Each structure stands twice: as C-alpha cells, then as structure tokens.
C-alpha cells in the first residue's frame, strides 16, 4: 500500500540483481539524492515502462459505459432487500464510472437519492435530486423525482418550497400527460397526501434546521505559540546534536490539554483493497465498499453521497467545493495518472502531491531551493553544488556571506526562527538517505523516474502554467520549470522521508452488524499524511501524549501530567502494552533507524529473560507464573511442575483457532453454540494462561457480545467487567483502550436499565475519553446522550415494604 505493488517491486529487484556490479556500487555509494536519481533514471528502459503500464491498466480508474448499468442493477437488488446502505454504495460506484451529462449518471444519482431518502438523509437526497436533473434526468421519469423532492422538503419542515414543487408537478401533469392511467392515479394519491402534510406544516411555526456540531471550535488552542504554528504556547522547540529537533513543555501541563492542532500539509487516502483486474475474471466490477467509496479524497470526511471527478472514476469528494479545490491544487495533474499512482503506492503519490503543492508557496523561495543558482537562459543545477547540498546549505548549518559566519535558524524555520506548516518545513524533514538499503533507494528512484516520464509524456500545460482558479492568490501560482529532473529529485527526497515521517491518519470504525446493540470498534488507517509539526515529536514506548484525527486535522493532547521542561513524546507504533522490548526495538531500528532507550525499554533490558507478564503462561496446578526459556518451570517454591514452551505455544494456537470458530458462529447468529464454545475456551485458557493474558480478555469480551445479542444484560456486564480488568492491566486505567471498553460497559448497563451502574460507568468512560479525544468525539457525544436520557427518567417508585 505504501510502497509499489509486489509485481513492480519484484521486477525492480530482478533488474537490480542483473545490473553490473560497478553500477550497483555507483548507486550504493552515491552521496546525494541527485546522483541516485540521475543514475537510476538513466537505467529506466522502454520495456520497464511498458511493464509498469500493463500493471497500471489493471486498475479500472477511467469512465466506462458498461459499469453504470451493472452497478445500478446490483444496487436495485440491495434496495429491494431494504439494504439501503449497500444500495447507496453501489449506486455511488455507478455514478463514478458514468460520464458527465449522460443518462447513466442521472439515473444513478436518482436511484441513490431514493436510497438516501430511506436512510433519512433528506438534505443529501435533495442534492442528489438536483444532480440528477442537472445531468439530464429523463423527462418521462421526472414526476417520481419531484414527488421525492416534495416529500423531503415536507419532512425537513420547508412547506413553502414543497408547495412550489407540488405546483410544478401538477403543471407538469397538465402539460405532458405521458403517464399510464394506473401510474397517474398512484401519483395523484401521493400528491394529495403531500398536500395535507404541507398544510399541517404551514400551520406550525417554522424552525431553522438544527445547527451542525462544529467540532473544530472545541479543538481551538487556548493560546497559539509564536515560535511554532499550530501549537500551544505550552511547548517550545529545541534542538540537540543527538536527538535532533524536539518539543518540551514550557510549563506544567495537565492531562487532556490540547498541545497541537495541525492540518496535514499533504494527505492521500489509502485506497483499501482494490484488486487488479485481468482477463479471465468472472466480473471486472468490484462490489465491495472501500475507503475510497466512503470518504472524501480531499478532506477525508465520511460521505454517503460522493461526487466523482468528471475525468476519472477513482477520485471522489464530499462536495463540489472539495472537488474543485482538489482539481485546482493537484488533481488536474493526477487525474490521468490514477492507475500509475495506485501501482506505485501511497508514498509515491504523496511525493508527487507534495511537490505539486510547493507551487502555492512563494515562487522565489521554492524555486531557489530546487534549482539553486539558475540563469534566465539555462535551467540546470550549478556545477559547484548539487541539489541536496543547496538544500542543506539553505535549511541549516552555517552560511558564509562576505566573510561573515551567520548562524541560521533551526532547520525548517524561517529567517525569523518560526517553524510553520509549509513546504519549507516539509523539505527539512530528514530523508535518512544513508540508512536506506541500496535496492530500496533504487526502487524509489526508478518509480519516481517512471512517474516523471509519464508527466513528461502527458500534457504539462497545467503543470507548468500556474492555476486556472481565480479564487486563489495570483502570487501563489508560480510557473514551474519544465526540467522535471529537478522535481524528480524533490519527489525522491519526499519518498525517502516518508518511511520515518509519514503519519497514519486513523478513524474509529464500528465493527459487527447493525443489529448489535453494543458497539464494538477498531482503529483503522484511513489515509497517510505529512504533518511537519507532529514530525518534531520524538518516540517513546510509553508516550505522554495521545494523537487523534478529525478530517485531515490531527490533535495532540497530553495523556498524563507533563512537568515543565519535560519532553513531549509520541508513540511511533511499538507500544510497551502491545509488544515486548525485543520486538519493539527491532521494529524501531528497521523502520526508524534508531535504538530506543526510553524508560520502558531500559527497564525491560534489565530483565531480558522475563517477557511481559500479561502474555505469560501459568502453572496448570498452582496457577503461579511459569519462568524460563525453552523449558518453563513453576515460580512457586512448593511446586516442581515444568513444561516445554513449544507445547504451551501449540496449546495457545489451538485455543486461538477455537476462539476464531466461535467468532464465526457469532457473526452467523448462532449464539448458543458460540457461547458454549467460548465457555469451553475460557476453561481451557484458565489451565495455562495468566488471568491478565490478552486471550483471556478477548474470550470474556466475546462472551459479553454474545450475551448482549441474547438480551441477557446481566451476564454480558459480568463478562465485560472481567475483560475490563485485563485491559486495565495491559494498558492502564487511563488508557484510550480503557475508555473504549468502559464505553461498551456503559452501553450494556444502559440497555439493561441498570441506572446507577450506567451513570457511574458513563462518567468514568467520559473522563478517560475526554483526555484522549476532547469533547467532539462520537463516543463522548453518545455517552452524553445516554447520561441525559438516564437523568431525565422519572424516579422508580418505592413500595411500602421496600
């Protein structure tokens, strides 16, 4: 997903292995990105490009007149089964593959409006009705569409507009009586019913639609930092020869305090599972919903009714405004390259988009970075300095002017010492060129070279002549130099930067069926972005901050008290609650090129033979902790039991398989069988796993879900409380994982009408989740609704004998 598809990686690896040793050495020992790019680019042959084009054609990203009918019919089947959400997704796919101003697209929009109407999405339904009409919806079908429009307007409390729509509809009947008698009668009855509704609404006082929750207002920084944009005044930027740039607290910080609120400089939606199509497949049209179908490709907002690009089927947006902004900023270039960008991976896509966005900063500053000392006649790199040296010279260290040594700001800062969310800061992020393997650098360089060749082959008018949008500042639309090798070096730099600096943009998605009364959720990666300020945070396996996202905006909150002068730390992924020290250090070394010496790693290094207790085995006789390497012995002095580690690992694998079978039964609605299997699994787990082992917690959680589905809230709560104890041991009482588990327990108590327990658990969950997410979080909003509902209940009457 991040890197190119496996077929291209294998192809490049083979090409590398066949290169003469001297060329491999030249690329391996090249000191600059410019040399790596130019050497690799010279090796890209026409047959390489042809192979890449064949791979790219496997992604169906163009308009195709055969697709809309397929998706419309599939959507109709879902609609007839009252699966309106599934129908909406399929109609959206039909819209995406349809050409603008065609009957296909108008029919797909109209059908989607019907599904949205049944989902209660009336405003969005109205927008789709307008889109259907704009694209030439057939005249013979207009009455049905206008009736739906009138129903939406009535439901939304807009009777005057509904009356006008009904009048238009009646005029349409009178002018063009094209309907059959039976259809006409049905429509007439519907009209009569709507007229009554309109009269009822007109007798009521109209109220304006409820204001949408403005989540961003809850995310404002109390006091903006003058040194670092998007950051609280509670932090300061420092630099160290060993640690590089980092952030420290300038005062005591309380848990939950907002420290950073930063919009991504660049982000690219992760495409999800997009199978490559090839001849011989039964159908080339995929009916599965992916992130690309459900989220805006610019702002990443969830959308039920995406608006597609007019030129391709892949890019979809939440609104016409987002579509236009994306087109003006980058999609006018990317549109024809969709298949290639999906083949080359998200990192290559971000590299291109970052370079395109550089056009919107001050032309002189960006071009000076990329081109160095250029003349009006020739566009080339100066002989005395290569690109990497120019950038290093410009961004950090010392510069000498007229015999004087001038100390420059911290890399990424402007001449006034301010660090901002801009291309200057993005370019200052380290590419770690010397740490990447030669074959990885060759893969990235060859991929970028192929992309540059495609840009060169395509029309570069939009790429080189500024922007069409009159809404953007004229000064923000510089002319780009046609020397694509310069931009190729920049893209290679960005692609290498991303391994250490890419930030996964995540969202919380609910799992399980819609019938489940208890919400189970998981964190999923929605997109990948570059956040220059968040990139300043160093790693800890036990961080003191929590990062969350809304749209493309990241927020960093203190997850615990941070003392003045203490470093602000973020977890890069390997967390002490999820991995042992050896696994964490290996992952950090391979991806981020450093050995972690944070306090948890130092503590665990002192006792390397002892793995995390939460994942340990116990003696089946006395339940004491088993210790050792290949052969484990009971830790109790009164017990002589021993067992091989391999035997216990095999038992754990068998248990995991049994739990997997139980979960499948749960998904299929076979609750009683699932419960019996899970109870057996719990009994087996107790014989060799410690009570705080993650598998024990998962079994209890699954049992809670099963009993909740049966409506046995008391048993569900009992099992969930046992799961909660495991989560607390593994992650801590104030962890975000604890917050999510408390949220589930609050739902169980709420549905079981256990009012005191529900109110107490709601309060606990709210307290924990507020620290990590702030008040705009969906789960917090749901908790507040539960609390309001419980507090509004009348007191339960107490009888005379009670």
């Amino acid at each position: 997903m991040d890197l190119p598809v496996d077929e291209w990686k294998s192809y490049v690896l083979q090409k590398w292995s066949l290169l003469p040793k001297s060329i491999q050495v030249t690329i391996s020992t090249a000191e600059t990105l410019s040399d790596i790019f130019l050497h690799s680019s010279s090796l890209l042959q026409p047959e390489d490009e042809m192979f890449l084009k064949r791979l790219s054609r496997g992604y169906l990203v163009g308009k195709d007149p055969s697709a809309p009918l397929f998706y419309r019919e599939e959507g109709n089947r879902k609609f007839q089964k009252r699966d309106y959400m599934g129908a909406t997704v399929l109609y959206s796919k039909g819209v995406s593959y349809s050409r603008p101003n065609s009957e296909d697209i108008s029919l797909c929009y109209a059908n989607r409006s019907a599904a949205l109407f049944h989902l209660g999405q009336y405003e969005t339904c109205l927008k789709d009705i307008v889109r259907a009409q704009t694209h030439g919806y057939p005249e013979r079908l207009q009455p049905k569409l206008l009736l739906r429009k009138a129903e939406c307007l009535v439901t939304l409390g807009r009777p005057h507009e509904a009356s006008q729509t009904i009048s238009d509809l009646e005029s349409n009947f009178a002018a063009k009586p094209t309907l059959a008698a039976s259809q006409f009668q049905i429509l007439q009855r519907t009209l009569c019913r709507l007229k009554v509704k309109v009269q009822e609404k007109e007798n009521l006082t109209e109220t304006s639609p409820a204001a949408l929750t403005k989540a961003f207002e809850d995310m404002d920084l109390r006091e903006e930092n003058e040194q670092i944009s998007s950051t609280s005044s509670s932090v300061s930027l420092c630099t160290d020869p060993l640690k590089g740039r980092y952030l420290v607290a300038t005062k005591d910080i309380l848990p939950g305090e907002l420290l950073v609120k930063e919009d991504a400089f660049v982000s690219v939606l992760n495409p999800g599972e997009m199978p490559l199509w090839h001849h011989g497949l039964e159908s080339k049209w995929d009916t599965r919903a992916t992130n690309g179908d459900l989220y805006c490709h610019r702002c990443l907002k969830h959308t039920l009714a995406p608006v597609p690009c007019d030129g391709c089927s892949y890019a979809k947006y939440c609104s016409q405004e987002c579509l236009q902004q994306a087109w003006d900023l980058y999609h006018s270039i990317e549109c024809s390259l969709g298949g290639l960008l999906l083949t080359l991976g998200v990192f290559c896509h971000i590299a291109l988009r970052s370079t395109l966005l550089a056009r919107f900063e001050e032309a002189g500053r960006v071009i000076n970075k990329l081109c160095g000392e250029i003349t009006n006649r020739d566009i080339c790199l100066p002989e005395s300095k290569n690109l990497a040296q120019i950038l290093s010279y410009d961004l950090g260290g010392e510069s000498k002017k007229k015999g004087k040594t001038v100390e420059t700001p911290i890399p990424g800062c402007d001449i006034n010492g301010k660090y901002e969310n801009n291309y200057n800061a993005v370019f200052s992020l380290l590419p770690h060129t010397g740490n990447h393997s030669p074959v990885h650098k060759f893969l990235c360089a060859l991929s970028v070279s192929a992309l540059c060749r495609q840009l060169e082959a395509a029309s570069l008018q939009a790429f080189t002549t500024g922007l069409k949008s009159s809404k953007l500042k004229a000064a923000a639309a510089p002319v780009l130099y046609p020397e694509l090798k310069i931009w190729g070096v920049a893209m290679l730099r960005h692609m290498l930067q991303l391994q250490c600096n890419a930030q996964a943009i995540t969202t919380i998605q609910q799992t399980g069926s819609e019938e489940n009364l208890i919400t189970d959720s998981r964190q999923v990666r929605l997109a990948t972005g570059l956040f220059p300020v968040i990139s300043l945070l160093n790693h800890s396996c036990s961080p003191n901050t929590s990062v969350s996202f809304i749209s493309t905006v990241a927020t960093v909150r203190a997850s615990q008290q941070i003392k003045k002068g203490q470093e602000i730390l973020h977890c890069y992924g390997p967390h002490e609650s999820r991995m042992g020290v050896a696994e964490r250090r290996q992952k950090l070394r391979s991806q981020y090129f450093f050995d972690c010496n944070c306090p948890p790693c130092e503590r665990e290094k002192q006792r390397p033979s002892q793995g995390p207790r939460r994942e340990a085995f116990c003696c089946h006789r006395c339940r004491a902790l088993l210790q050792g390497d290949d052969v484990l012995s009971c830790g109790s002095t009164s017990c002589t039991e021993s067992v091989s580690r391999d035997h216990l690992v095999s038992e754990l694998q068998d248990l995991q398989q049994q739990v997997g079978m139980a979960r499948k039964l749960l998904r299929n609605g076979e609750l009683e069988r699932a419960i019996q299997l899970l109870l057996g699994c719990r009994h087996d787990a107790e014989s060799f796993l410690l009570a705080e082992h993650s598998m024990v917690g998962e079994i209890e959680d699954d049992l809670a879900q099963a009993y909740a589905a049966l409506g046995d809230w008391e048993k569900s709560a009992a099992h969930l409380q046992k799961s909660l104890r495991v989560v607390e041991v593994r992650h801590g009482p104030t962890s975000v994982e604890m917050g999510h588990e408390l949220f589930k327990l609050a739902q169980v108590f709420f549905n079981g009408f256990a009012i005191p327990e529900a109110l107490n658990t709601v309060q606990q969950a709210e307290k924990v989740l507020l620290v990590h997410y702030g008040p705009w979080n969906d789960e917090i909003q749901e908790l507040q609704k539960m609390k309001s509902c419980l507090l509004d209940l009348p007191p339960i009457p107490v009888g005379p004998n009670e």
Side-chain angles (χ1 to χ4, degrees), residues 731-752:
H731 301 284
T734 60
S735 64
V736 67
E737 292 84 1
M738 191 70 173
H740 292 310
E741 203 72 8
L742 283 166
F743 174 74
K744 286 196 289 186
L745 184 59
Q747 287 182 308
V748 170
F749 283 137
F750 180 86
N751 285 289

Side-chain angles (χ1 to χ4, degrees), residues 325 328-329 360 467-477:
Q325 286 177 30
D328 292 339
L329 291 170
F360 298 89
L467 305 173
K468 299 176 183 177
S469 174
S470 59
K471 297 178 184 177
L472 298 172
K473 296 178 182 178

Side-chain angles (χ1 to χ4, degrees), residues 268-499:
V268 169
L269 186 75
N270 286 354
E273 292 185 30
M274 290 192 64
L276 281 165
W277 176 79
H278 55 82
H279 292 288
L281 286 178
E282 188 175 334
S283 173
K284 66 178 182 178
W285 306 119
D286 187 18
T287 57
R288 293 173 298 175
T290 66
N291 285 343
D293 300 311
L294 302 173
Y295 293 88
C296 177
H297 287 224
R298 194 198 74 81
C299 72
L300 305 182
K301 289 178 183 174
H302 187 271
T303 176
L304 288 175
V307 181
C309 167
D310 286 346
C312 69
S313 63
Y314 176 65
K316 308 175 188 75
Y317 306 94
C318 64
S319 64
Q320 190 66 34
E321 291 73 24
C322 265
L323 184 152
Q324 190 60 51
Q325 286 177 30
W327 182 264
D328 292 339
L329 291 170
Y330 47 77
H331 192 63
S332 57
I333 307 301
E334 296 177 358
C335 185
S336 63
L337 303 172
L340 179 62
L341 291 171
L342 287 169
T343 304
L344 294 179
V346 170
F347 281 3
C348 198
H349 196 162
I350 292 177
L352 170 63
R353 192 171 288 183
S354 298
T355 311
L356 292 172
L357 290 173
R359 299 176 300 168
F360 298 89
E361 299 199 7
E362 296 176 26
R365 184 171 64 181
V366 174
I367 290 170
N368 283 339
K369 277 186 177 60
L370 295 172
C371 303
E373 301 167 359
I374 57 174
T375 66
N376 293 328
R377 295 188 304 273
D378 299 315
I379 297 167
C380 60
L381 295 173
E383 291 181 1
S384 59
K385 298 188 186 78
N386 56 54
L387 177 61
Q389 290 171 332
I390 293 167
L391 287 161
S392 172
Y393 176 89
D394 186 55
L395 292 171
E398 294 182 340
S399 59
K400 296 181 179 179
K401 295 181 180 179
K402 298 182 180 179
K404 294 182 179 181
T405 300
V406 181
E407 195 71 29
T408 57
I410 294 173
C413 295
D414 61 21
I415 57 173
N416 298 314
K418 183 167 184 178
Y419 188 91
E420 297 189 80
N421 179 317
N422 57 19
Y423 189 69
N424 181 41
V426 168
F427 219 104
S428 74
L429 300 174
L430 294 177
H432 295 283
T433 310
N435 296 110
H436 293 284
S437 68
V439 70
H440 178 74
K441 288 183 281 193
F442 183 62
L443 170 67
C444 293
L446 209 66
S447 298
V448 168
S449 300
L451 181 56
C452 286
R453 296 273 181 94
Q454 284 299 303
L455 288 167
E456 203 167 25
S459 170
L460 296 181
Q461 183 176 1
F463 192 71
T464 56
T465 59
L467 305 173
K468 299 176 183 177
S469 174
S470 59
K471 297 178 184 177
L472 298 172
K473 296 178 182 178
V479 174
L480 294 181
Y481 288 89
E483 188 61 72
L484 277 172
K485 69 179 181 183
I486 294 171
W487 295 91
V489 175
M491 283 190 275
L492 176 58
R493 180 183 179 91
H494 296 319
M495 201 168 175
L496 295 177
Q497 284 173 334
L498 285 161
Q499 179 164 318

Side-chain angles (χ1 to χ4, degrees), residues 241-286:
L242 295 177
K243 292 198 295 187
R245 301 170 296 182
Y246 62 100
L247 299 180
V248 296
T250 58
K251 64 177 185 179
D252 290 348
I253 295 171
L254 294 174
E257 184 175 334
L258 183 60
L259 305 178
V260 179
K261 174 191 168 186
E262 182 182 23
D263 199 354
F265 173 79
V266 62
S267 64
V268 169
L269 186 75
N270 286 354
E273 292 185 30
M274 290 192 64
L276 281 165
W277 176 79
H278 55 82
H279 292 288
L281 286 178
E282 188 175 334
S283 173
K284 66 178 182 178
W285 306 119
D286 187 18

Side-chain angles (χ1 to χ4, degrees), residues 377-647:
R377 295 188 304 273
D378 299 315
I379 297 167
C380 60
L381 295 173
E383 291 181 1
S384 59
K385 298 188 186 78
N386 56 54
L387 177 61
Q389 290 171 332
I390 293 167
L391 287 161
S392 172
Y393 176 89
D394 186 55
L395 292 171
E398 294 182 340
S399 59
K400 296 181 179 179
K401 295 181 180 179
K402 298 182 180 179
K404 294 182 179 181
T405 300
V406 181
E407 195 71 29
T408 57
I410 294 173
C413 295
D414 61 21
I415 57 173
N416 298 314
K418 183 167 184 178
Y419 188 91
E420 297 189 80
N421 179 317
N422 57 19
Y423 189 69
N424 181 41
V426 168
F427 219 104
S428 74
L429 300 174
L430 294 177
H432 295 283
T433 310
N435 296 110
H436 293 284
S437 68
V439 70
H440 178 74
K441 288 183 281 193
F442 183 62
L443 170 67
C444 293
L446 209 66
S447 298
V448 168
S449 300
L451 181 56
C452 286
R453 296 273 181 94
Q454 284 299 303
L455 288 167
E456 203 167 25
S459 170
L460 296 181
Q461 183 176 1
F463 192 71
T464 56
T465 59
L467 305 173
K468 299 176 183 177
S469 174
S470 59
K471 297 178 184 177
L472 298 172
K473 296 178 182 178
V479 174
L480 294 181
Y481 288 89
E483 188 61 72
L484 277 172
K485 69 179 181 183
I486 294 171
W487 295 91
V489 175
M491 283 190 275
L492 176 58
R493 180 183 179 91
H494 296 319
M495 201 168 175
L496 295 177
Q497 284 173 334
L498 285 161
Q499 179 164 318
C500 295
N501 292 286
Q503 175 66 52
I505 300 174
T506 59
T507 187
I508 301 296
Q509 284 185 352
Q510 294 183 5
T511 59
S513 65
E514 294 179 9
E515 291 77 22
N516 286 350
L517 294 172
I518 306 305
T519 302
D520 203 5
S521 59
R522 63 190 177 103
Q523 188 180 62
V524 297
R525 182 175 174 181
L526 179 60
T528 304
L530 274 174
F531 296 82
V533 174
I534 291 179
S535 290
L536 296 172
L537 297 172
N538 280 329
H539 167 81
S540 171
C541 297
S542 180
N544 52 21
T545 61
S546 187
V547 181
S548 60
F549 301 87
I550 179 170
S551 184
T552 57
V553 176
T555 61
V556 179
R557 295 179 183 272
S559 59
Q560 57 187 254
Q561 187 172 11
I562 304 173
K563 296 289 187 181
K564 179 180 178 180
Q566 191 176 343
E567 186 175 357
I568 312 295
L569 297 165
H570 167 43
C571 179
Y572 291 178
H575 196 284
E576 67 163 337
S577 68
R578 293 186 287 270
M579 296 181 189
V581 62
E583 187 182 359
R584 295 200 309 269
R585 287 170 66 83
Q586 190 278 328
K587 183 171 176 61
L588 290 166
R589 191 180 299 116
S590 63
Q591 182 173 349
Y592 297 98
F593 312 122
F594 71 89
D595 290 316
C596 185
N597 296 308
C598 69
C601 285
E602 289 298 306
R603 282 197 306 269
E604 291 183 51
K605 278 194 296 183
Q606 302 305 316
R607 43 184 176 85
S609 61
Q610 299 180 26
R613 180 182 170 87
R614 59 184 172 270
E615 292 300 308
F617 300 109
C618 71
C619 175
H620 72 97
R621 290 192 178 184
C622 66
R623 303 283 301 156
L625 176 68
L626 290 175
Q627 298 173 322
D629 294 321
D630 295 336
V631 177
L632 303 177
S633 301
C634 183
S636 173
T637 55
S638 60
C639 182
T640 59
E641 192 69 21
S642 65
V643 63
S644 74
R645 182 180 293 277
D646 288 343
H647 174 72

Side-chain angles (χ1 to χ4, degrees), residues 709-730:
L710 286 174
D712 192 335
W713 304 109
E714 189 175 346
K715 284 186 178 179
S716 179
H719 286 290
L720 203 51
Q721 284 170 314
K722 292 177 182 177
S723 171
L724 199 65
R725 286 195 285 274
V726 177
V727 171
E728 184 173 357
V729 171
R730 287 176 59 80

